[in-house]
Amino acid sequence: MKKKLILVLNCGSSSIKFSIIDPVKCIAYIDGIVELIQSTTSLMVYDHITDKKLLNKFNEVGSYKKLIILIFDILSSKYKNYLDFVIGIGHRVVHGGQYLKKPMIINDDVLLKVQESSIFAPLHNPFHLIAITVSLQKMLKLKNNNVAVFDTAFHHTIPKESFLYAIPYRFYKNHSIRRYGAHGINHLYVTQQCSLLLKKPINQLNIISCHLGSGSSITAIVNGKSVDTSMGLTPLEGLVMGTRCGDIDPYIIFYMIQQLKMSVTDVQKLLTKESGVLGISSITSDFRELENRYYVDKRAKLSINMFCRRVSKYISGYSSLMCGKLDAIIFTGGIGENSSFIRKKIVKKLSLLNFFIDIKKNIKNNKTNFFINTIDSRSIFVIRANENQVIAQETYSCLQ
Ligand code: ADP
């Protein structure tokens, strides 16, 4: 094998996904995940070439740094035949702030800006920084070939009238307070896939991409570019999420602090970790369980209905930005890809826009991409998220 491969590190707060990918042929050689499950750590690596799975469980939760070191140790001991051909490392970085608008080769200046952007993504950027630091130390020969690929980058085409908040302009000028959005890497991926599915050039494509997972966001894409997105300065704004509140009247926060005498920290925790469908149902943030209880538990039903209603409202709202041409809506993310029940509920409210679901097609399907609309309807696609492929491609072109 004489290939140029890319190692992708996709670091979240509760799981670390990694892949070794051929960025030109878009083939993944290995995919792996390290997950923290209560007091244990599980590591799974799947080798696509040999079809072999490696599963390890450790009865401890090491520090985040130790987990990244574990990945490099496993790769260099068991997957050296791939690692030896890796020419660059692509890091998913959730927030690139005001200045990092495209994939960047990581140097001290980029590291500093990622660190500065941590205030807007405190649950993500600090983990990316640990992963980058360990990569630089463990893979010395690739020291100058680490690339940061930003989730916020795809949204830098959003015009000012959409990315500004209606607060005094100086807060944008002096403090960079504006909408940045999130999930941009996957919104870009589904846009590329949709262009292939519809056989239409990306720069002529008008779609609405719904990334529905434990964090959810919707993006309006006109001529292949993001023109609005539901997440804001941070990933708290927009849709009802697993544990995040999404859009609320900001006065609720004053009320909680001034009248209910809650501390700022408590309000922050409430809105990020205890709200969303978990807060409404008082049961769980897991949509599978809420679906199972839909017909037997009133609040499970209410939470799902609230979630779906807000998604439908955003899609309808974004249809007004499409310059009269809406090619498709896309469902992606854990819920968007797997829940035919939720997709049906969302699309039911979109008949005015001429979207209709074909119930025979809206079923469990293992394909990476499939459509679920009737013949008379505009296109509705389900596209499996694949951030790592975009990260590998962007890393490769950045290093070229
Ligand atoms: P993350 O934002 O952490 O990447 P995912 O995109 O993996 O999240 O989505 C996780 C969510 O997807 C969870 O709430 C889970 O309940 C939901 N989910 C996964 N499979 C299904 C399914 N078959 N039906 C409904 N929800 C599902």
Side-chain angles (χ1 to χ4, degrees):
M1 188 168 60
K2 270 261 171 283
K3 295 191 182 304
K4 291 179 174 175
L5 306 181
I6 300 293
L7 168 64
V8 173
L9 282 178
N10 187 340
C11 297
S13 51
S14 60
S15 75
I16 304 168
K17 294 178 192 152
F18 56 98
S19 302
I20 293 185
I21 294 178
D22 179 330
V24 179
K25 292 191 179 153
C26 299
I27 299 171
Y29 286 89
I30 66 160
D31 278 316
I33 181 162
V34 177
E35 276 180 296
L36 310 176
I37 303 162
Q38 282 156 9
S39 57
T40 61
T41 303
S42 88
L43 174 127
M44 199 279 287
V45 190
Y46 179 66
D47 185 326
H48 292 271
I49 306 300
T50 60
D51 210 17
K52 279 196 184 138
K53 218 180 224 182
L54 173 86
L55 251 173
N56 270 328
K57 267 215 155 92
F58 308 93
N59 283 331
E60 57 167 316
V61 177
S63 68
Y64 206 81
K65 186 173 171 187
K66 275 194 186 154
L67 297 179
I68 310 276
I69 292 174
L70 173 75
I71 293 173
F72 278 106
D73 289 346
I74 296 270
L75 288 177
S76 50
S77 61
K78 303 240 177 339
Y79 299 94
K80 199 167 174 328
N81 53 329
Y82 302 127
L83 196 62
D84 281 349
F85 293 96
V86 167
I87 56 149
I89 305 178
H91 298 265
R92 175 188 175 212
V93 178
V94 163
H95 218 297
Q98 177 84 313
Y99 302 106
L100 302 171
K101 300 182 181 178
K102 58 183 178 100
M104 305 286 287
I105 294 183
I106 295 172
N107 56 25
D108 289 347
D109 185 44
V110 172
L111 270 178
L112 184 70
K113 291 203 167 79
V114 171
Q115 198 162 14
E116 284 168 3
S117 306
S118 292
I119 40 164
F120 299 141
L123 301 178
H124 297 96
N125 276 24
F127 295 112
H128 307 323
L129 285 165
I130 296 172
I132 293 170
T133 312
V134 174
S135 304
L136 293 172
Q137 287 162 358
K138 291 291 265 185
M139 298 286 283
L140 271 180
K141 68 167 187 171
L142 300 178
K143 201 163 72 78
N144 299 317
N145 289 15
N146 280 257
V147 173
V149 182
F150 301 98
D151 253 322
T152 42
F154 184 57
H155 301 302
H156 271 286
T157 45
I158 294 179
K160 233 178 202 173
E161 61 222 59
S162 283
F163 79 60
L164 281 183
Y165 291 106
I167 58 177
Y169 196 79
R170 64 178 185 276
F171 286 91
Y172 162 60
K173 273 307 234 191
N174 301 340
H175 303 283
S176 306
I177 293 181
R178 50 160 288 179
R179 175 184 307 287
Y180 290 99
H183 294 139
I185 299 171
N186 194 44
H187 287 303
L188 169 62
Y189 173 75
V190 300
T191 307
Q192 292 169 344
Q193 293 299 304
C194 191
S195 147
L196 297 173
L197 290 164
L198 289 174
K199 298 187 175 60
K200 202 169 179 185
I202 289 189
N203 62 7
Q204 291 171 24
L205 204 61
N206 289 9
I207 58 175
I208 296 173
S209 164
C210 311
H211 181 117
L212 310 179
S214 48
S216 296
S217 73
I218 302 205
T219 296
I221 295 156
V222 172
N223 296 330
K225 294 198 166 110
S226 171
V227 295
D228 210 341
T229 195
S230 60
M231 281 180 173
L233 174 73
T234 74
L236 189 56
E237 193 182 344
L239 301 174
V240 175
M241 297 178 230
T243 62
R244 292 174 231 162
C245 59
D247 298 336
I248 58 168
D249 181 341
Y251 202 91
I252 292 171
I253 297 171
F254 315 143
Y255 186 88
M256 287 176 168
I257 293 171
Q258 290 165 354
Q259 307 298 322
L260 305 181
K261 307 291 177 212
M262 289 170 69
S263 70
V264 173
T265 315
D266 285 347
V267 175
Q268 189 175 6
K269 187 163 161 245
L270 183 93
L271 300 181
T272 52
K273 300 228 162 88
E274 298 162 9
S275 296
V277 290
L278 169 67
I280 294 297
S281 68
S282 310
I283 303 171
T284 177
S285 61
D286 190 325
F287 279 77
R288 281 166 289 206
E289 202 178 331
L290 292 171
E291 259 186 65
N292 288 338
R293 300 213 198 180
Y294 187 86
Y295 293 108
V296 293
D297 185 300
K298 278 190 185 155
R299 285 213 268 133
K301 180 176 179 177
L302 178 63
S303 66
I304 289 198
N305 287 350
M306 284 174 69
F307 174 85
C308 295
R309 176 181 281 244
R310 194 162 308 170
V311 176
S312 307
K313 270 169 69 175
Y314 261 94
I315 294 174
S316 306
Y318 282 171
S319 70
S320 69
L321 304 177
M322 293 287 127
C323 310
K325 286 182 286 168
L326 173 52
D327 295 309
I329 50 177
I330 316 285
F331 287 106
T332 182
I335 303 163
E337 292 159 23
N338 297 305
S339 175
S340 40
F341 181 77
I342 288 180
R343 292 193 301 249
K344 188 171 150 206
K345 283 202 150 297
I346 292 168
V347 176
K348 208 172 158 198
K349 291 200 169 59
L350 301 176
S351 54
L352 259 185
L353 294 175
N354 207 20
F355 284 108
F356 301 100
I357 269 198
D358 183 334
I359 49 170
K360 290 199 207 87
K361 295 192 180 108
N362 185 35
I363 49 174
K364 197 171 167 50
N365 191 326
N366 289 329
K367 285 187 185 162
T368 35
N369 304 330
F370 55 99
F371 70 95
I372 55 171
N373 53 284
T374 61
I375 288 177
D376 312 326
S377 162
R378 290 180 205 265
S379 298
I380 309 171
F381 291 112
V382 176
I383 299 180
R384 296 212 178 275
N386 191 347
E387 286 155 339
N388 289 0
Q389 187 176 309
V390 173
I391 297 169
Q393 287 167 329
E394 299 273 19
T395 300
Y396 185 68
S397 27
C398 196
L399 292 174
Q400 294 300 301

